[in-house]
Amino acid sequence: MKSAKPNTRRNFLLAAGLGTAGAAAAVATATRGVKGAKEAASPDTSSGYRDSEHIRKYYETTKV
């Protein structure tokens, strides 16, 4: 009978940790979804490849 208490505590702590992680993931995806909707609503004026500063830096790091 004494072994039932530690398992119960472990299960509670495990469930509390998973619940917290799930809530954080839900908030993160909800926030990301709002940003994605705003970007999708704006008209896309670019067409094709766009060269930018960070792209050029990346290409410089890949040179042999």
Side-chain angles (χ1 to χ4, degrees), residues 6-48:
N7 287 339
T8 304
R9 286 186 203 145
R10 288 182 189 148
N11 289 338
F12 171 75
L13 293 174
L14 178 63
L18 291 175
T20 303
V27 169
T29 56
T31 304
R32 181 177 288 169
V34 171
K35 289 179 183 176
K38 288 180 183 177
E39 291 173 0
S42 64
D44 188 19
T45 57
S46 66
S47 61

